[in-house]
């Protein structure tokens, strides 16, 4: 059904890790690529859009199946029914398999990782990083890997020189996932921001915080003047801020209406929605490897954060990781 290969899996791994907060992942396979989704507590739905050009070779051959006699759409043809394949996998097992040589933990962007050494070994700094162990077996593997430390992947094994591992991962029938949809016709807040600003804000907050509130105000405020004229003035409030609150502490971060920070900002009325911080904390890995993030909230409080992950090779399309989060606490508008 699917055969694909990649000479370096680090970019693919960075996308998988961005949604690996839940172990079971739904995988939709198409001729254009794969869509992997995980959920938590029926309140968070994270989806990684992984296009076929991420891989060096991608060949999808849908299995021939008999379309069911009763379908939601009577116009569903046999070709449409055969177009996609959906399965479930344990995503952490896949990540462990791809990192079997301990060399796929980077992001694919040339980052280096600190090497783990046995206590007392020359150069040991007492750390516990996630680099390579320097045992006899690992030393032989390093001889083949050289300085690049790249792990390649082919889902159909071929004989070749050097170390090779064959991994088989059990798949499952796909189960229905939670339906969280953003109402595109009623967006009350839309922001495009550099991912580094959101990553720094979330990573600096202690996980003990209970909730995180998104607060936004229009750039301009308006009031009725004499003769029914509308008078617009620049708002004195911060256009966008994050307020974290816990049992005994609170913290607030404000973002100015500056193109260097907020590339786009659209808000026509004061908005204030709160979410469980534990749900938003799952976004850290996706934000860490992305360049920009699109943040949208609709009138019902559904939050969408799409993290754009730049391609690792020329000619490839941008991949992205999308988080949809239901509001979990009282929703109200600022005055």
């Amino acid at each position: 059904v699917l055969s694909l290969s990649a000479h370096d899996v680090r970019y693919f791994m960075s996308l998988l890790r961005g949604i690996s907060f839940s172990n079971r992942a739904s995988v939709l396979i198409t001729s254009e690529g794969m869509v992997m989704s995980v959920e938590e507590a029926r309140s968070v739905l994270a989806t990684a859009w992984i296009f076929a050009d991420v891989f060096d070779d991608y060949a999808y051959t849908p299995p021939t199946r008999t379309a069911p006699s009763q379908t939601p759409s009577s116009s569903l043809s046999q070709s449409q029914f055969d177009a996609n394949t959906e399965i479930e996998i344990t995503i952490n097992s896949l990540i462990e398999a791809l990192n079997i040589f301990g060399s796929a933990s980077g992001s694919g962007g040339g980052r280096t990782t600190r090497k783990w050494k046995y206590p007392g070994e020359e150069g040991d700094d007492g750390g516990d990083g996630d680099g390579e162990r320097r045992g006899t077996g690992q030393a032989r593997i390093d001889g083949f890997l050289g300085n690049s430390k790249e792990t390649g992947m082919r889902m159909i094994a071929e004989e070749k020189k050097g170390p090779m591992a064959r991994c088989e991962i059990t798949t499952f029938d796909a189960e229905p996932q939670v339906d969280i949809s953003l109402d595109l016709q009623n967006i009350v807040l839309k922001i495009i921001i550099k991912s580094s600003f959101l990553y720094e804000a979330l990573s600096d907050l202690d996980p003990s915080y209970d909730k995180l509130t998104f607060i936004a105000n229009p750039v301009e405020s308006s009031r009725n003047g004499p003769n029914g004229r509308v008078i617009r003035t620049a708002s004195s409030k911060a256009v966008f801020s994050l307020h974290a609150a816990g049992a005994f502490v609170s913290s607030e971060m404000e973002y100015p209406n500056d193109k260097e920070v907020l590339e786009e900002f659209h808000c026509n009325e004061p908005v204030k929605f709160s979410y469980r911080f534990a749900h938003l904390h799952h976004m850290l890995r996706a934000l860490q490897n992305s360049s920009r993030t699109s943040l949208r909230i609709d009138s019902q409080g559904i939050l969408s954060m799409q993290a754009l992950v730049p391609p690792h090779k020329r000619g490839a399309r941008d991949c992205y990781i999308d988080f949809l989060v239901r509001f979990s606490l009282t929703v109200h508008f600022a005055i």
Side-chain angles (χ1 to χ4, degrees):
V1 176
L2 176 66
S3 172
L4 55 88
S5 66
H7 75 279
D8 185 357
V9 300
R10 287 179 294 175
Y11 182 80
F12 182 44
M13 287 275 284
S14 69
L15 297 170
L16 295 181
R17 284 199 172 103
I19 61 170
S20 62
F21 58 87
S22 183
N23 193 37
R24 188 70 71 89
S26 174
V27 184
L28 180 67
I29 306 171
T30 73
S31 59
E32 294 293 319
M34 296 183 292
V35 182
M36 292 191 174
S37 303
V38 301
E39 64 174 81
E40 182 181 82
R42 305 198 64 80
S43 296
V44 182
L45 179 64
T47 304
W49 299 79
I50 307 170
F51 297 108
D53 51 21
V54 165
F55 309 98
D56 299 325
D57 299 298
Y58 184 97
Y60 171 57
T61 306
T64 301
R65 296 166 293 175
T66 301
S69 57
Q70 294 182 351
T71 61
S73 173
S74 58
S75 62
L76 185 65
S77 65
Q78 180 69 47
S79 60
Q80 290 173 318
F81 182 75
D82 288 340
N84 303 328
T85 299
E86 191 169 6
I87 60 174
E88 280 192 6
I89 62 171
T90 51
I91 190 170
N92 290 319
S93 295
L94 177 58
I95 290 175
E96 290 175 5
L98 295 177
N99 197 35
I100 195 167
F101 295 133
S103 56
S105 57
S107 63
R111 297 183 183 180
T112 58
T113 57
R114 185 176 59 178
K115 291 182 173 59
W116 190 96
K117 297 181 182 296
Y118 288 106
E121 188 176 353
E122 183 180 354
D124 172 39
D125 59 1
D128 57 352
D130 59 355
E132 304 88 345
R133 291 194 177 193
R134 293 294 184 178
T136 56
Q138 184 65 45
R140 289 196 297 270
I141 290 177
D142 287 348
F144 287 101
L145 295 178
N147 294 325
S148 64
K149 299 297 187 296
E150 294 179 355
T151 297
M153 171 188 63
R154 179 173 290 276
M155 288 197 174
I156 296 179
E158 293 182 349
E159 293 297 328
K160 60 178 292 187
K161 295 181 179 180
M164 175 174 285
R166 179 186 178 97
C167 303
E168 295 184 3
I169 300 174
T170 302
T171 62
F172 307 90
D173 292 333
E175 297 289 340
Q177 286 193 311
V178 61
D179 182 19
I180 304 178
S181 301
L182 188 71
D183 186 356
L184 298 178
Q185 303 302 317
N186 292 286
I187 301 297
V188 296
L189 176 64
K190 179 180 178 181
I191 293 173
I192 295 180
I193 186 173
K194 290 182 178 179
S195 298
S196 58
F197 291 113
L198 285 177
Y199 174 78
E200 291 171 1
L202 293 180
S203 60
D204 286 344
L205 295 175
D206 190 275
S208 62
Y209 282 107
D210 296 323
K211 67 176 182 178
L212 185 65
T213 303
F214 291 76
I215 304 172
N217 293 284
V219 176
E220 295 181 337
S221 60
S222 59
R223 59 182 178 87
N224 293 326
N227 302 323
R229 295 178 57 188
V230 177
I231 301 176
R232 300 183 182 275
T233 58
S235 175
S236 59
K237 300 180 180 179
V239 294
F240 180 57
S241 61
L242 300 175
H243 181 82
F248 304 104
V249 295
S250 63
S251 178
E252 188 166 3
M253 295 144 285
E254 296 184 347
Y255 297 87
N257 185 27
D258 187 334
K259 291 292 184 180
E260 293 296 320
V261 180
L262 303 179
E263 296 183 16
E264 289 188 24
F265 179 83
H266 302 283
C267 178
N268 295 324
E269 57 181 297
V271 175
K272 185 175 182 180
F273 287 100
S274 297
Y275 306 87
R276 296 193 182 280
F277 181 67
H279 292 164
L280 301 181
H281 197 261
H282 294 319
M283 302 177 185
L284 278 177
R285 281 183 168 176
L287 293 172
Q288 186 178 20
N289 294 309
S290 67
S291 58
R292 296 186 302 165
T293 297
S294 170
L295 187 155
R296 292 173 294 175
I297 300 177
D298 67 15
S299 58
Q300 298 301 312
I302 300 297
L303 167 67
S304 167
M305 291 181 67
Q306 289 186 343
L308 184 71
V309 185
H312 66 305
K313 60 183 179 180
R314 182 174 298 179
R317 286 173 288 182
D318 294 328
C319 292
Y320 58 93
I321 300 175
D322 183 21
F323 283 82
L324 288 168
V325 186
R326 299 185 194 273
F327 67 88
S328 302
L329 303 169
T330 303
V331 179
H332 55 280
F333 288 90
I335 303 299

